[in-house]
Amino acid sequence: MGVIDICSTSSLSFTEPSSNRHRIFVHQRLFLPLGRNNNHRAFFVMSSAIPVEHVNEGQQRLSGESFIRTHLRKLSPYQPILPFEVLSAQLGRRPEDIVKLDANENPYGPPPEVLEALGKLKFPYIYPDPESRCLRKALAKDSGLESNHILVGCGADELIDLIMRCTLDPGDKIVDCPPTFTMYEFDAGVNGAEVIKVGRRPDFNLNVELIVEAVRQEKPKCIFLTSPNNPDGSVINDEDLLEILELPILVVLDEAYIEFSGLESRMKWVKKHDNLIVLRTFSKRAGLAGLRVGYGAFPLSIIEYLWRAKQPYNVSVAAEVSACAALENPVYLEKVKDALVKERGRLYKLLKEVPFLNPHPSCSNFILCAVESGMDAKMLKEDLAKMGVMVRHYNNKELKGYIRVSVGKPEQTDILMECLKQFF
C-alpha cells in the first residue's frame, strides 16, 4: 500500500498531412520510476505518438461488470424483510391493518422522549459528530463500560461489516454456526472470506466440541456467535463462551436480543479478553430499527483500528439524538421489555395448542416453530399473509419446515391465533 504520484512533462500532439486529409496521433504514456520514499513513489511520464487508428485494434468493448471484483459477481444478494409500504401495496391493506410479526421489531416503538427530541432537532444541516461523543457517554453510563471501549454504528450490521473489513484478508476464514443470523455469512462473502459452517445440536445449542475441532483444522480468524440466537432464542452459557475464548480466534458475540433473556450483557468482558467483541443494538430494546443505531464493546487493542477504518459520519444526527433520548427513559425501556417477555410466555402456550406447530422455548422476542402434521411451512406463511399476518419462513436446509413468529402486543397475538384456528 502507498501513494503514487504521476508527474507529466509537456507533450505535443502531432498531425501529419496525407493528401488532403490529416492523421491524428495520440499519446502513448511511458511510466518510469524516478524515486522512492518509504511507500511513496514518483513516476515521470513521457509521450510518444501512435496513430489513433491502431489504438483500439484487437480490443473488445468493456462491460461494467468487468470492473467488479470477481468474488462479488457470484455473490447472492441479502434477502431483507419487506417494509410496510411494499407489504401494503402487495396485500392491498393499510399498513395499520397488517400484523407484522416477521422481523422481531419492537411493536411499542421508542419512548416519547425520542419524538420530542426529533421535533426539536436544531442543526440537521450540520454533519454529525464523527465520534458520537454524546451517545457513547450515555452508553458508558448505561453499560458501566468506559466510553473508550465503545464504538457506535449505523446499526450493528455496519459494525459486523467493519469488523470483517478490519480483520479479514481475502481468503481468510470465519466460523459460522447455523442456523443463525445470516448477515455473518453474507458479509463474509462481501469481504472475500471463506465460511466454515459448524452446525448446532438438535436443541439449537452450540456444538463446542466441533467448534474446537474446526478451529484446530481450518485456522479461521473469527467466529460469530449470537446470544440469544436468532432464530431459535437459545443462549450461550458462560462455560461454553469461556472455552471458545481460549481458542486462537476472534470471538464476535452479537447480543442484539440480550435484554429479553434476563441475563447480564458480557460487554465488560472485553476488558479481560483481548479476542472478544460484543455487539448491541437499539432496534429491539428501544424500538429504533428504522433509525439504525448499533454499538459495540471492543478491546482497546482492536478499537483503535476500527476508528481508523470507519466512515467518519456513519451515525446521523437524528439517530444519535434519538438513541440518547431513549436512554433518558430507562423506566419505559424496562416496562416494554417486561411486557414483551410476558407476552412471549402467553404466545408460547397458545402456539403449543396448535396441532401442527411445535414451538421452541425462547429467551428472545420471537418463537421458532416447527411446522408438522403434513402442514407446509411456506404455504402456511403465504396463507397468513393473505389474512394480513406476517411471519418469517425459511428456505435454508437447517430450518426447512420452520416459521418464526415475533412477539407482538396482546391484540396482535389474538389476531394471529384467530387466523391459525382456521387451519384446524
Side-chain angles (χ1 to χ4, degrees):
M1 301 294 291
V3 178
I4 298 175
D5 286 341
I6 306 297
C7 306
S8 177
T9 61
S10 58
S11 55
L12 299 174
S13 295
F14 296 94
T15 61
E16 180 182 67
S18 175
S19 300
N20 293 324
R21 63 187 179 87
H22 289 77
R23 294 175 62 202
I24 300 174
F25 288 73
V26 297
H27 299 283
Q28 179 185 38
R29 293 183 174 179
L30 176 64
F31 297 88
L32 301 175
L34 281 180
R36 185 184 299 270
N37 181 10
N38 295 328
N39 288 329
H40 195 116
R41 290 180 289 169
F43 286 80
F44 178 79
V45 183
M46 300 175 63
S47 297
S48 62
I50 297 179
V52 71
E53 60 205 54
H54 297 308
V55 171
N56 293 320
E57 286 186 2
Q59 292 184 356
Q60 294 182 349
R61 183 180 178 85
L62 291 175
S63 70
E65 183 180 314
S66 66
F67 299 106
I68 302 300
R69 296 169 69 185
T70 303
H71 73 277
L72 291 179
R73 299 179 206 170
K74 304 174 183 178
L75 182 71
S76 297
Y78 186 79
Q79 298 297 323
I81 296 296
L82 295 177
F84 256 155
E85 295 79 6
V86 177
L87 284 174
S88 177
Q90 288 186 355
L91 300 175
R93 295 173 178 265
R94 296 185 309 160
E96 297 82 0
D97 296 331
I98 298 174
V99 178
K100 198 168 184 301
L101 303 176
D102 60 347
N104 304 336
E105 293 136 333
N106 186 329
Y108 292 96
E113 287 82 358
V114 170
L115 295 180
E116 293 174 11
L118 287 173
K120 298 176 181 178
L121 202 60
K122 291 183 178 180
F123 306 110
Y125 52 90
I126 300 298
Y127 284 113
D129 177 6
E131 296 183 21
S132 304
R133 291 174 178 87
C134 291
L135 180 51
R136 289 170 53 236
K137 181 179 179 181
L139 286 169
K141 180 180 179 181
D142 178 68
S143 66
L145 180 67
E146 295 84 353
S147 63
N148 60 338
H149 285 276
I150 298 173
L151 185 67
V152 183
C154 182
D157 290 351
E158 185 201 11
L159 297 180
I160 294 169
D161 180 65
L162 179 61
I163 290 166
M164 291 195 187
R165 286 194 288 115
C166 288
T167 60
L168 299 176
D169 291 314
D172 279 346
K173 301 174 182 179
I174 73 160
V175 173
D176 192 34
C177 299
T180 191
F181 188 34
T182 54
M183 187 61 73
Y184 312 135
E185 182 179 358
F186 173 77
D187 276 331
V190 170
N191 287 279
E194 182 180 344
V195 179
I196 307 300
K197 295 188 177 184
V198 179
R200 293 171 176 264
R201 299 184 185 278
D203 61 359
F204 297 107
N205 284 316
L206 293 176
N207 193 325
V208 179
E209 292 81 3
L210 287 183
I211 291 174
V212 172
E213 185 64 17
V215 172
R216 185 184 69 82
Q217 290 187 6
E218 301 292 340
K219 307 284 190 294
K221 188 171 281 187
C222 306
I223 182 171
F224 286 81
L225 303 173
T226 310
S227 183
N229 186 48
N230 177 10
D232 61 89
S234 62
V235 295
I236 303 173
N237 62 51
D238 285 356
E239 182 181 357
D240 286 347
L241 182 57
L242 287 169
E243 184 174 355
I244 295 171
L245 283 168
E246 289 297 318
L247 301 173
I249 191 171
L250 175 63
V251 178
V252 182
L253 180 64
D254 190 340
E255 290 187 337
Y257 302 95
I258 190 66
E259 291 83 10
F260 306 105
S261 70
L263 302 174
E264 185 177 353
S265 169
R266 275 96 170 215
M267 285 181 65
K268 295 179 184 178
W269 284 30
V270 302
K271 298 176 70 173
K272 296 180 180 180
H273 300 277
D274 229 29
N275 64 328
L276 175 65
I277 293 171
V278 179
L279 301 180
R280 301 281 297 276
T281 180
F282 280 85
S283 296
K284 321 302 178 184
R285 173 192 188 188
L288 295 180
L291 283 163
R292 312 306 301 131
V293 195
Y295 58 102
F298 301 82
L300 297 181
S301 58
I302 291 178
I303 198 170
E304 171 189 355
Y305 298 97
L306 274 72
W307 277 115
R308 297 184 192 182
K310 87 168 187 70
Q311 294 294 320
Y313 305 118
N314 58 325
V315 180
S316 73
V317 173
E320 182 172 6
V321 165
S322 298
C324 288
L327 291 175
E328 291 176 1
N329 194 342
V331 174
Y332 176 92
L333 299 179
E334 189 71 12
K335 181 180 178 181
V336 167
K337 183 262 294 181
D338 289 344
L340 290 171
V341 169
K342 180 180 179 181
E343 188 61 18
R344 180 183 70 200
R346 174 174 175 258
L347 176 62
Y348 179 79
K349 292 179 180 178
L350 290 172
L351 292 173
K352 288 283 286 184
E353 297 174 2
V354 178
F356 53 82
L357 292 181
N358 184 12
H360 186 80
S362 173
C363 293
S364 192
N365 68 334
F366 51 79
I367 296 176
L368 184 69
C369 301
V371 181
E372 302 173 342
S373 303
M375 179 71 72
D376 183 87
K378 183 178 180 181
M379 288 189 63
L380 176 61
K381 184 261 185 190
E382 293 173 349
D383 288 339
L384 288 172
K386 293 175 184 177
M387 302 176 192
V389 177
M390 307 303 300
V391 298
R392 184 71 185 268
H393 166 260
Y394 296 91
N395 290 318
N396 52 320
K397 63 179 182 179
E398 295 91 358
L399 291 172
K400 185 176 181 180
Y402 282 84
I403 61 169
R404 188 195 66 197
V405 183
S406 302
V407 179
K409 296 179 179 180
E411 55 267 31
Q412 293 176 316
T413 299
D414 293 341
I415 295 173
L416 169 67
M417 296 311 301
E418 286 299 318
C419 292
L420 287 173
K421 287 178 182 178
Q422 297 187 33
F423 299 99
F424 65 94

